[in-house]
Amino acid sequence: MARFTLPRDIYFGPNAISELKNLKGYKKAFIVTGGHSMRKTGFLQKLEDVLKDAGLQTYIYDGVEPDPSIERVYDGAKAMREFQPDVIVAIGGGSPMDAAKAMWVFYEYPEKTFEDIKNPFTMPKLRKKAIFVGIPSTSGTASEVTAFSVITDYSTDIKYPLADFEITPDIAVLDSDIPMTMPKTLTAHTGMDALTHAIEAYVASARSDFSDALALKAISNIYDSILDSYNGDAQARGKMHIAQCLAGMAFSNALLGIAHSLAHKTGAVFHIPHGCCNAILLPSVIQYNSRVCMERYAQIAREIGLPGVTDKQLTNALVDSVRELNRKLNIAQTYKDNGVKEEDFKAHCQAIAENAVGDPCTGSNPRETNAENMLKVLTCAYYGEDVNF
């Protein structure tokens, strides 16, 4: 038996936030957001106005940092318990949405600890106190539709991807007006994160016909629109916002692979944005996994019109096309070129590889991977060498 889980409702298009008027009948909304961008652009005020017009009291919990910590999660859960909301609304990038999901667990179960839920599919039943609404401001993480939440333990420098269908949001709001405010670098990093989601989902061991259709459509739309979106085209920004959501629905059910395993661990240690880590790793991981699923990568290449006759030619073309996208998005192709000093890399690479093996995403990678091979892939991504083992 397999399972495919999505939010109950997805509102999308210009001014989609206004559809939250449908929350009429609920009493209190706890709004989680990041720094100042949603406030400065007016979207936080717009959200609050819609909720108040629907008769809800609101409380704004702001200041969630990138790569939110366990301590941030506990602090937010404490504020939730004091306010007692029946709706939790997260607006912003992946970090406030991920933090809000974890806060939700400890709001409903204050006796639980992070240790109790950090392993995949160990969450208790939610929705005893509140439902969850996700409103993304970036076009990449897709946390508004996924069963994932990435939280960092800074005492060990390890990112934990919490995974459970219980934390799949009830409502997703894809308001295409919001991503127009993204700066170019963020557009590049989140776009490559979305592409990595879709490609990894298409080859993941838990894939299905449902996830395959979503993943291929996402890949096609991303290739059509990512460069124009990076250069500020409004229509392309809107198309990317939908495409990253399609990728999210695919990977939330098909799961991911070792590009994400290594991105979680390298991002926490070297403090490189998650989407940038994925962009660096994706060509190396495609080469590594192609030993066992080359025909899947070849199908992706055919879908987006890349040249080649054999599966090998098509897979090579896919690797080259990812590298070309990175170049056009001004993403340096290696960890070395992204400022990681060789002595720092050598000091941490073994521990990163070992921790990546234990990452929940590794279990669904199409090729079985041990610490030795994980280290080899990581080393290739550091120096920009091809993976040929």
PDB file of all heavy atoms in Angstrom, residues 218-256:
ATOM      1  N   ALA A 218       6.856  19.947 -13.530  1.00  0.00           N
ATOM      2  CA  ALA A 218       7.646  20.958 -12.822  1.00  0.00           C
ATOM      3  C   ALA A 218       8.972  21.205 -13.533  1.00  0.00           C
ATOM      4  O   ALA A 218       9.375  22.360 -13.740  1.00  0.00           O
ATOM      5  CB  ALA A 218       7.888  20.511 -11.374  1.00  0.00           C
ATOM      6  N   ILE A 219       9.665  20.130 -13.919  1.00  0.00           N
ATOM      7  CA  ILE A 219      10.958  20.285 -14.594  1.00  0.00           C
ATOM      8  C   ILE A 219      10.800  21.066 -15.890  1.00  0.00           C
ATOM      9  O   ILE A 219      11.569  21.995 -16.181  1.00  0.00           O
ATOM     10  CB  ILE A 219      11.586  18.900 -14.867  1.00  0.00           C
ATOM     11  CG1 ILE A 219      11.961  18.215 -13.555  1.00  0.00           C
ATOM     12  CG2 ILE A 219      12.824  19.028 -15.769  1.00  0.00           C
ATOM     13  CD1 ILE A 219      12.248  16.726 -13.700  1.00  0.00           C
ATOM     14  N   SER A 220       9.798  20.708 -16.671  1.00  0.00           N
ATOM     15  CA  SER A 220       9.560  21.395 -17.940  1.00  0.00           C
ATOM     16  C   SER A 220       9.282  22.879 -17.724  1.00  0.00           C
ATOM     17  O   SER A 220       9.859  23.742 -18.403  1.00  0.00           O
ATOM     18  CB  SER A 220       8.386  20.724 -18.666  1.00  0.00           C
ATOM     19  OG  SER A 220       8.102  21.402 -19.871  1.00  0.00           O
ATOM     20  N   ASN A 221       8.418  23.184 -16.770  1.00  0.00           N
ATOM     21  CA  ASN A 221       8.080  24.590 -16.512  1.00  0.00           C
ATOM     22  C   ASN A 221       9.261  25.373 -15.955  1.00  0.00           C
ATOM     23  O   ASN A 221       9.430  26.559 -16.253  1.00  0.00           O
ATOM     24  CB  ASN A 221       6.892  24.671 -15.553  1.00  0.00           C
ATOM     25  CG  ASN A 221       5.575  24.369 -16.233  1.00  0.00           C
ATOM     26  OD1 ASN A 221       5.538  24.050 -17.419  1.00  0.00           O
ATOM     27  ND2 ASN A 221       4.482  24.447 -15.482  1.00  0.00           N
ATOM     28  N   ILE A 222      10.083  24.726 -15.130  1.00  0.00           N
ATOM     29  CA  ILE A 222      11.262  25.408 -14.576  1.00  0.00           C
ATOM     30  C   ILE A 222      12.246  25.734 -15.689  1.00  0.00           C
ATOM     31  O   ILE A 222      12.771  26.849 -15.760  1.00  0.00           O
ATOM     32  CB  ILE A 222      11.907  24.557 -13.464  1.00  0.00           C
ATOM     33  CG1 ILE A 222      10.998  24.524 -12.234  1.00  0.00           C
ATOM     34  CG2 ILE A 222      13.288  25.112 -13.094  1.00  0.00           C
ATOM     35  CD1 ILE A 222      11.381  23.484 -11.196  1.00  0.00           C
ATOM     36  N   TYR A 223      12.506  24.770 -16.566  1.00  0.00           N
ATOM     37  CA  TYR A 223      13.420  25.051 -17.677  1.00  0.00           C
ATOM     38  C   TYR A 223      12.877  26.157 -18.577  1.00  0.00           C
ATOM     39  O   TYR A 223      13.639  26.954 -19.139  1.00  0.00           O
ATOM     40  CB  TYR A 223      13.686  23.778 -18.482  1.00  0.00           C
ATOM     41  CG  TYR A 223      14.946  23.060 -18.034  1.00  0.00           C
ATOM     42  CD1 TYR A 223      14.907  22.163 -16.974  1.00  0.00           C
ATOM     43  CD2 TYR A 223      16.169  23.300 -18.654  1.00  0.00           C
ATOM     44  CE1 TYR A 223      16.064  21.509 -16.551  1.00  0.00           C
ATOM     45  CE2 TYR A 223      17.325  22.655 -18.236  1.00  0.00           C
ATOM     46  CZ  TYR A 223      17.271  21.765 -17.180  1.00  0.00           C
ATOM     47  OH  TYR A 223      18.414  21.137 -16.763  1.00  0.00           O
ATOM     48  N   ASP A 224      11.557  26.223 -18.727  1.00  0.00           N
ATOM     49  CA  ASP A 224      10.952  27.273 -19.550  1.00  0.00           C
ATOM     50  C   ASP A 224      11.079  28.663 -18.928  1.00  0.00           C
ATOM     51  O   ASP A 224      11.135  29.662 -19.651  1.00  0.00           O
ATOM     52  CB  ASP A 224       9.458  26.984 -19.761  1.00  0.00           C
ATOM     53  CG  ASP A 224       9.212  25.969 -20.862  1.00  0.00           C
ATOM     54  OD1 ASP A 224      10.178  25.594 -21.558  1.00  0.00           O
ATOM     55  OD2 ASP A 224       8.053  25.542 -21.009  1.00  0.00           O
ATOM     56  N   SER A 225      11.087  28.736 -17.603  1.00  0.00           N
ATOM     57  CA  SER A 225      10.870  30.040 -16.961  1.00  0.00           C
ATOM     58  C   SER A 225      11.944  30.516 -16.005  1.00  0.00           C
ATOM     59  O   SER A 225      11.962  31.698 -15.640  1.00  0.00           O
ATOM     60  CB  SER A 225       9.525  30.020 -16.215  1.00  0.00           C
ATOM     61  OG  SER A 225       9.471  28.958 -15.283  1.00  0.00           O
ATOM     62  N   ILE A 226      12.892  29.670 -15.580  1.00  0.00           N
ATOM     63  CA  ILE A 226      13.798  30.066 -14.504  1.00  0.00           C
ATOM     64  C   ILE A 226      14.697  31.239 -14.896  1.00  0.00           C
ATOM     65  O   ILE A 226      14.916  32.162 -14.101  1.00  0.00           O
ATOM     66  CB  ILE A 226      14.635  28.866 -13.995  1.00  0.00           C
ATOM     67  CG1 ILE A 226      15.407  29.264 -12.723  1.00  0.00           C
ATOM     68  CG2 ILE A 226      15.544  28.299 -15.069  1.00  0.00           C
ATOM     69  CD1 ILE A 226      16.058  28.088 -12.021  1.00  0.00           C
ATOM     70  N   LEU A 227      15.199  31.248 -16.124  1.00  0.00           N
ATOM     71  CA  LEU A 227      16.102  32.337 -16.510  1.00  0.00           C
ATOM     72  C   LEU A 227      15.349  33.654 -16.680  1.00  0.00           C
ATOM     73  O   LEU A 227      15.825  34.717 -16.249  1.00  0.00           O
ATOM     74  CB  LEU A 227      16.853  31.977 -17.790  1.00  0.00           C
ATOM     75  CG  LEU A 227      17.835  30.805 -17.657  1.00  0.00           C
ATOM     76  CD1 LEU A 227      18.462  30.475 -19.009  1.00  0.00           C
ATOM     77  CD2 LEU A 227      18.924  31.113 -16.625  1.00  0.00           C
ATOM     78  N   ASP A 228      14.159  33.614 -17.275  1.00  0.00           N
ATOM     79  CA  ASP A 228      13.356  34.826 -17.402  1.00  0.00           C
ATOM     80  C   ASP A 228      12.907  35.322 -16.022  1.00  0.00           C
ATOM     81  O   ASP A 228      12.856  36.526 -15.777  1.00  0.00           O
ATOM     82  CB  ASP A 228      12.123  34.563 -18.279  1.00  0.00           C
ATOM     83  CG  ASP A 228      12.488  34.390 -19.746  1.00  0.00           C
ATOM     84  OD1 ASP A 228      13.568  34.868 -20.152  1.00  0.00           O
ATOM     85  OD2 ASP A 228      11.694  33.775 -20.482  1.00  0.00           O
ATOM     86  N   SER A 229      12.596  34.388 -15.134  1.00  0.00           N
ATOM     87  CA  SER A 229      12.230  34.766 -13.763  1.00  0.00           C
ATOM     88  C   SER A 229      13.395  35.452 -13.074  1.00  0.00           C
ATOM     89  O   SER A 229      13.223  36.488 -12.415  1.00  0.00           O
ATOM     90  CB  SER A 229      11.818  33.513 -12.977  1.00  0.00           C
ATOM     91  OG  SER A 229      11.563  33.817 -11.622  1.00  0.00           O
ATOM     92  N   TYR A 230      14.590  34.906 -13.242  1.00  0.00           N
ATOM     93  CA  TYR A 230      15.810  35.502 -12.672  1.00  0.00           C
ATOM     94  C   TYR A 230      16.016  36.925 -13.179  1.00  0.00           C
ATOM     95  O   TYR A 230      16.440  37.808 -12.431  1.00  0.00           O
ATOM     96  CB  TYR A 230      17.000  34.621 -13.048  1.00  0.00           C
ATOM     97  CG  TYR A 230      18.349  35.142 -12.628  1.00  0.00           C
ATOM     98  CD1 TYR A 230      18.724  35.185 -11.291  1.00  0.00           C
ATOM     99  CD2 TYR A 230      19.269  35.574 -13.584  1.00  0.00           C
ATOM    100  CE1 TYR A 230      19.981  35.645 -10.917  1.00  0.00           C
ATOM    101  CE2 TYR A 230      20.525  36.021 -13.224  1.00  0.00           C
ATOM    102  CZ  TYR A 230      20.875  36.058 -11.885  1.00  0.00           C
ATOM    103  OH  TYR A 230      22.126  36.515 -11.510  1.00  0.00           O
ATOM    104  N   ASN A 231      15.655  37.139 -14.423  1.00  0.00           N
ATOM    105  CA  ASN A 231      15.839  38.466 -15.022  1.00  0.00           C
ATOM    106  C   ASN A 231      14.639  39.394 -14.816  1.00  0.00           C
ATOM    107  O   ASN A 231      14.563  40.463 -15.424  1.00  0.00           O
ATOM    108  CB  ASN A 231      16.171  38.328 -16.505  1.00  0.00           C
ATOM    109  CG  ASN A 231      17.563  37.761 -16.728  1.00  0.00           C
ATOM    110  OD1 ASN A 231      18.526  38.205 -16.107  1.00  0.00           O
ATOM    111  ND2 ASN A 231      17.678  36.749 -17.589  1.00  0.00           N
ATOM    112  N   GLY A 232      13.691  38.968 -13.986  1.00  0.00           N
ATOM    113  CA  GLY A 232      12.630  39.874 -13.535  1.00  0.00           C
ATOM    114  C   GLY A 232      11.331  39.837 -14.305  1.00  0.00           C
ATOM    115  O   GLY A 232      10.451  40.664 -14.063  1.00  0.00           O
ATOM    116  N   ASP A 233      11.158  38.890 -15.225  1.00  0.00           N
ATOM    117  CA  ASP A 233       9.923  38.820 -16.001  1.00  0.00           C
ATOM    118  C   ASP A 233       8.760  38.380 -15.104  1.00  0.00           C
ATOM    119  O   ASP A 233       8.813  37.322 -14.464  1.00  0.00           O
ATOM    120  CB  ASP A 233      10.100  37.829 -17.154  1.00  0.00           C
ATOM    121  CG  ASP A 233       8.863  37.722 -18.018  1.00  0.00           C
ATOM    122  OD1 ASP A 233       8.693  38.560 -18.911  1.00  0.00           O
ATOM    123  OD2 ASP A 233       8.046  36.803 -17.779  1.00  0.00           O
ATOM    124  N   ALA A 234       7.707  39.168 -15.065  1.00  0.00           N
ATOM    125  CA  ALA A 234       6.600  38.915 -14.136  1.00  0.00           C
ATOM    126  C   ALA A 234       5.871  37.616 -14.454  1.00  0.00           C
ATOM    127  O   ALA A 234       5.526  36.847 -13.550  1.00  0.00           O
ATOM    128  CB  ALA A 234       5.622  40.089 -14.158  1.00  0.00           C
ATOM    129  N   GLN A 235       5.628  37.346 -15.724  1.00  0.00           N
ATOM    130  CA  GLN A 235       4.923  36.123 -16.100  1.00  0.00           C
ATOM    131  C   GLN A 235       5.732  34.883 -15.725  1.00  0.00           C
ATOM    132  O   GLN A 235       5.187  33.883 -15.237  1.00  0.00           O
ATOM    133  CB  GLN A 235       4.622  36.131 -17.596  1.00  0.00           C
ATOM    134  CG  GLN A 235       3.730  34.971 -18.042  1.00  0.00           C
ATOM    135  CD  GLN A 235       3.324  35.090 -19.508  1.00  0.00           C
ATOM    136  OE1 GLN A 235       3.628  36.072 -20.174  1.00  0.00           O
ATOM    137  NE2 GLN A 235       2.627  34.089 -20.019  1.00  0.00           N
ATOM    138  N   ALA A 236       7.043  34.967 -15.937  1.00  0.00           N
ATOM    139  CA  ALA A 236       7.917  33.843 -15.593  1.00  0.00           C
ATOM    140  C   ALA A 236       7.974  33.634 -14.082  1.00  0.00           C
ATOM    141  O   ALA A 236       8.029  32.489 -13.611  1.00  0.00           O
ATOM    142  CB  ALA A 236       9.316  34.078 -16.150  1.00  0.00           C
ATOM    143  N   ARG A 237       7.958  34.723 -13.313  1.00  0.00           N
ATOM    144  CA  ARG A 237       7.929  34.590 -11.848  1.00  0.00           C
ATOM    145  C   ARG A 237       6.681  33.822 -11.408  1.00  0.00           C
ATOM    146  O   ARG A 237       6.744  32.960 -10.540  1.00  0.00           O
ATOM    147  CB  ARG A 237       7.952  35.968 -11.191  1.00  0.00           C
ATOM    148  CG  ARG A 237       9.293  36.697 -11.244  1.00  0.00           C
ATOM    149  CD  ARG A 237      10.206  36.289 -10.104  1.00  0.00           C
ATOM    150  NE  ARG A 237      11.535  36.866 -10.252  1.00  0.00           N
ATOM    151  CZ  ARG A 237      12.019  37.846  -9.505  1.00  0.00           C
ATOM    152  NH1 ARG A 237      11.281  38.362  -8.538  1.00  0.00           N
ATOM    153  NH2 ARG A 237      13.243  38.287  -9.695  1.00  0.00           N
ATOM    154  N   GLY A 238       5.555  34.158 -12.016  1.00  0.00           N
ATOM    155  CA  GLY A 238       4.316  33.458 -11.677  1.00  0.00           C
ATOM    156  C   GLY A 238       4.372  31.986 -12.057  1.00  0.00           C
ATOM    157  O   GLY A 238       3.904  31.118 -11.309  1.00  0.00           O
ATOM    158  N   LYS A 239       4.967  31.683 -13.216  1.00  0.00           N
ATOM    159  CA  LYS A 239       5.077  30.293 -13.671  1.00  0.00           C
ATOM    160  C   LYS A 239       6.004  29.496 -12.757  1.00  0.00           C
ATOM    161  O   LYS A 239       5.735  28.327 -12.444  1.00  0.00           O
ATOM    162  CB  LYS A 239       5.588  30.268 -15.114  1.00  0.00           C
ATOM    163  CG  LYS A 239       5.472  28.906 -15.781  1.00  0.00           C
ATOM    164  CD  LYS A 239       5.760  29.005 -17.275  1.00  0.00           C
ATOM    165  CE  LYS A 239       5.567  27.659 -17.963  1.00  0.00           C
ATOM    166  NZ  LYS A 239       5.774  27.741 -19.420  1.00  0.00           N
ATOM    167  N   MET A 240       7.092  30.129 -12.299  1.00  0.00           N
ATOM    168  CA  MET A 240       8.012  29.457 -11.375  1.00  0.00           C
ATOM    169  C   MET A 240       7.334  29.183 -10.038  1.00  0.00           C
ATOM    170  O   MET A 240       7.602  28.157  -9.392  1.00  0.00           O
ATOM    171  CB  MET A 240       9.256  30.319 -11.151  1.00  0.00           C
ATOM    172  CG  MET A 240      10.346  30.151 -12.183  1.00  0.00           C
ATOM    173  SD  MET A 240      11.059  28.483 -12.274  1.00  0.00           S
ATOM    174  CE  MET A 240      11.752  28.293 -10.635  1.00  0.00           C
ATOM    175  N   HIS A 241       6.459  30.087  -9.613  1.00  0.00           N
ATOM    176  CA  HIS A 241       5.787  29.910  -8.327  1.00  0.00           C
ATOM    177  C   HIS A 241       4.892  28.662  -8.356  1.00  0.00           C
ATOM    178  O   HIS A 241       4.808  27.925  -7.366  1.00  0.00           O
ATOM    179  CB  HIS A 241       4.960  31.164  -8.009  1.00  0.00           C
ATOM    180  CG  HIS A 241       4.847  31.457  -6.552  1.00  0.00           C
ATOM    181  ND1 HIS A 241       5.916  31.370  -5.689  1.00  0.00           N
ATOM    182  CD2 HIS A 241       3.770  31.849  -5.790  1.00  0.00           C
ATOM    183  CE1 HIS A 241       5.521  31.705  -4.463  1.00  0.00           C
ATOM    184  NE2 HIS A 241       4.232  31.978  -4.506  1.00  0.00           N
ATOM    185  N   ILE A 242       4.259  28.420  -9.494  1.00  0.00           N
ATOM    186  CA  ILE A 242       3.443  27.211  -9.648  1.00  0.00           C
ATOM    187  C   ILE A 242       4.341  25.979  -9.811  1.00  0.00           C
ATOM    188  O   ILE A 242       4.093  24.923  -9.211  1.00  0.00           O
ATOM    189  CB  ILE A 242       2.501  27.331 -10.863  1.00  0.00           C
ATOM    190  CG1 ILE A 242       1.538  28.516 -10.674  1.00  0.00           C
ATOM    191  CG2 ILE A 242       1.733  26.033 -11.072  1.00  0.00           C
ATOM    192  CD1 ILE A 242       0.623  28.416  -9.481  1.00  0.00           C
ATOM    193  N   ALA A 243       5.403  26.126 -10.599  1.00  0.00           N
ATOM    194  CA  ALA A 243       6.286  24.985 -10.859  1.00  0.00           C
ATOM    195  C   ALA A 243       6.935  24.465  -9.587  1.00  0.00           C
ATOM    196  O   ALA A 243       7.028  23.246  -9.373  1.00  0.00           O
ATOM    197  CB  ALA A 243       7.361  25.384 -11.870  1.00  0.00           C
ATOM    198  N   GLN A 244       7.378  25.364  -8.720  1.00  0.00           N
ATOM    199  CA  GLN A 244       8.013  24.903  -7.484  1.00  0.00           C
ATOM    200  C   GLN A 244       7.015  24.181  -6.595  1.00  0.00           C
ATOM    201  O   GLN A 244       7.375  23.265  -5.854  1.00  0.00           O
ATOM    202  CB  GLN A 244       8.659  26.082  -6.742  1.00  0.00           C
ATOM    203  CG  GLN A 244       7.710  27.153  -6.235  1.00  0.00           C
ATOM    204  CD  GLN A 244       7.133  26.873  -4.866  1.00  0.00           C
ATOM    205  OE1 GLN A 244       7.773  26.265  -4.022  1.00  0.00           O
ATOM    206  NE2 GLN A 244       5.903  27.330  -4.640  1.00  0.00           N
ATOM    207  N   CYS A 245       5.746  24.559  -6.681  1.00  0.00           N
ATOM    208  CA  CYS A 245       4.703  23.880  -5.913  1.00  0.00           C
ATOM    209  C   CYS A 245       4.450  22.486  -6.471  1.00  0.00           C
ATOM    210  O   CYS A 245       4.283  21.517  -5.715  1.00  0.00           O
ATOM    211  CB  CYS A 245       3.427  24.714  -5.917  1.00  0.00           C
ATOM    212  SG  CYS A 245       2.110  24.036  -4.902  1.00  0.00           S
ATOM    213  N   LEU A 246       4.433  22.346  -7.789  1.00  0.00           N
ATOM    214  CA  LEU A 246       4.299  21.026  -8.406  1.00  0.00           C
ATOM    215  C   LEU A 246       5.453  20.121  -7.967  1.00  0.00           C
ATOM    216  O   LEU A 246       5.251  18.939  -7.633  1.00  0.00           O
ATOM    217  CB  LEU A 246       4.300  21.143  -9.930  1.00  0.00           C
ATOM    218  CG  LEU A 246       3.156  21.927 -10.580  1.00  0.00           C
ATOM    219  CD1 LEU A 246       3.398  22.042 -12.085  1.00  0.00           C
ATOM    220  CD2 LEU A 246       1.818  21.261 -10.307  1.00  0.00           C
ATOM    221  N   ALA A 247       6.664  20.684  -7.959  1.00  0.00           N
ATOM    222  CA  ALA A 247       7.830  19.917  -7.506  1.00  0.00           C
ATOM    223  C   ALA A 247       7.676  19.507  -6.049  1.00  0.00           C
ATOM    224  O   ALA A 247       8.027  18.386  -5.662  1.00  0.00           O
ATOM    225  CB  ALA A 247       9.103  20.737  -7.696  1.00  0.00           C
ATOM    226  N   GLY A 248       7.120  20.417  -5.240  1.00  0.00           N
ATOM    227  CA  GLY A 248       6.908  20.113  -3.826  1.00  0.00           C
ATOM    228  C   GLY A 248       5.921  18.981  -3.619  1.00  0.00           C
ATOM    229  O   GLY A 248       6.139  18.085  -2.794  1.00  0.00           O
ATOM    230  N   MET A 249       4.824  19.013  -4.378  1.00  0.00           N
ATOM    231  CA  MET A 249       3.842  17.932  -4.260  1.00  0.00           C
ATOM    232  C   MET A 249       4.449  16.595  -4.680  1.00  0.00           C
ATOM    233  O   MET A 249       4.120  15.545  -4.117  1.00  0.00           O
ATOM    234  CB  MET A 249       2.606  18.261  -5.108  1.00  0.00           C
ATOM    235  CG  MET A 249       1.784  19.404  -4.540  1.00  0.00           C
ATOM    236  SD  MET A 249       0.197  19.633  -5.381  1.00  0.00           S
ATOM    237  CE  MET A 249       0.713  20.501  -6.853  1.00  0.00           C
ATOM    238  N   ALA A 250       5.351  16.640  -5.669  1.00  0.00           N
ATOM    239  CA  ALA A 250       6.019  15.409  -6.107  1.00  0.00           C
ATOM    240  C   ALA A 250       6.948  14.880  -5.020  1.00  0.00           C
ATOM    241  O   ALA A 250       6.852  13.721  -4.601  1.00  0.00           O
ATOM    242  CB  ALA A 250       6.795  15.668  -7.397  1.00  0.00           C
ATOM    243  N   PHE A 251       7.848  15.711  -4.521  1.00  0.00           N
ATOM    244  CA  PHE A 251       8.853  15.185  -3.592  1.00  0.00           C
ATOM    245  C   PHE A 251       8.300  14.912  -2.206  1.00  0.00           C
ATOM    246  O   PHE A 251       8.828  14.065  -1.475  1.00  0.00           O
ATOM    247  CB  PHE A 251      10.089  16.095  -3.530  1.00  0.00           C
ATOM    248  CG  PHE A 251      10.078  17.192  -2.491  1.00  0.00           C
ATOM    249  CD1 PHE A 251      10.311  16.909  -1.151  1.00  0.00           C
ATOM    250  CD2 PHE A 251       9.887  18.512  -2.858  1.00  0.00           C
ATOM    251  CE1 PHE A 251      10.339  17.925  -0.195  1.00  0.00           C
ATOM    252  CE2 PHE A 251       9.913  19.532  -1.919  1.00  0.00           C
ATOM    253  CZ  PHE A 251      10.141  19.227  -0.576  1.00  0.00           C
ATOM    254  N   SER A 252       7.225  15.588  -1.833  1.00  0.00           N
ATOM    255  CA  SER A 252       6.635  15.309  -0.529  1.00  0.00           C
ATOM    256  C   SER A 252       6.138  13.874  -0.448  1.00  0.00           C
ATOM    257  O   SER A 252       6.094  13.274   0.632  1.00  0.00           O
ATOM    258  CB  SER A 252       5.472  16.271  -0.258  1.00  0.00           C
ATOM    259  OG  SER A 252       4.952  16.079   1.048  1.00  0.00           O
ATOM    260  N   ASN A 253       5.815  13.298  -1.607  1.00  0.00           N
ATOM    261  CA  ASN A 253       5.297  11.936  -1.651  1.00  0.00           C
ATOM    262  C   ASN A 253       6.311  10.923  -2.187  1.00  0.00           C
ATOM    263  O   ASN A 253       6.366   9.788  -1.722  1.00  0.00           O
ATOM    264  CB  ASN A 253       4.029  11.910  -2.503  1.00  0.00           C
ATOM    265  CG  ASN A 253       2.877  12.645  -1.836  1.00  0.00           C
ATOM    266  OD1 ASN A 253       2.193  12.096  -0.994  1.00  0.00           O
ATOM    267  ND2 ASN A 253       2.678  13.919  -2.191  1.00  0.00           N
ATOM    268  N   ALA A 254       7.122  11.340  -3.167  1.00  0.00           N
ATOM    269  CA  ALA A 254       8.131  10.432  -3.726  1.00  0.00           C
ATOM    270  C   ALA A 254       9.409  10.431  -2.890  1.00  0.00           C
ATOM    271  O   ALA A 254      10.202   9.506  -2.974  1.00  0.00           O
ATOM    272  CB  ALA A 254       8.465  10.841  -5.160  1.00  0.00           C
ATOM    273  N   LEU A 255       9.603  11.480  -2.122  1.00  0.00           N
ATOM    274  CA  LEU A 255      10.797  11.734  -1.307  1.00  0.00           C
ATOM    275  C   LEU A 255      11.962  12.190  -2.200  1.00  0.00           C
ATOM    276  O   LEU A 255      11.772  12.472  -3.381  1.00  0.00           O
ATOM    277  CB  LEU A 255      11.149  10.532  -0.452  1.00  0.00           C
ATOM    278  CG  LEU A 255       9.991  10.005   0.425  1.00  0.00           C
ATOM    279  CD1 LEU A 255      10.418   8.797   1.236  1.00  0.00           C
ATOM    280  CD2 LEU A 255       9.437  11.097   1.327  1.00  0.00           C
ATOM    281  N   LEU A 256      13.160  12.298  -1.624  1.00  0.00           N
ATOM    282  CA  LEU A 256      14.278  12.948  -2.298  1.00  0.00           C
ATOM    283  C   LEU A 256      15.486  12.010  -2.356  1.00  0.00           C
ATOM    284  O   LEU A 256      15.337  10.809  -2.313  1.00  0.00           O
ATOM    285  CB  LEU A 256      14.619  14.262  -1.575  1.00  0.00           C
ATOM    286  CG  LEU A 256      13.551  15.356  -1.689  1.00  0.00           C
ATOM    287  CD1 LEU A 256      13.782  16.456  -0.663  1.00  0.00           C
ATOM    288  CD2 LEU A 256      13.535  15.947  -3.103  1.00  0.00           C
TER     289      LEU A 256
END
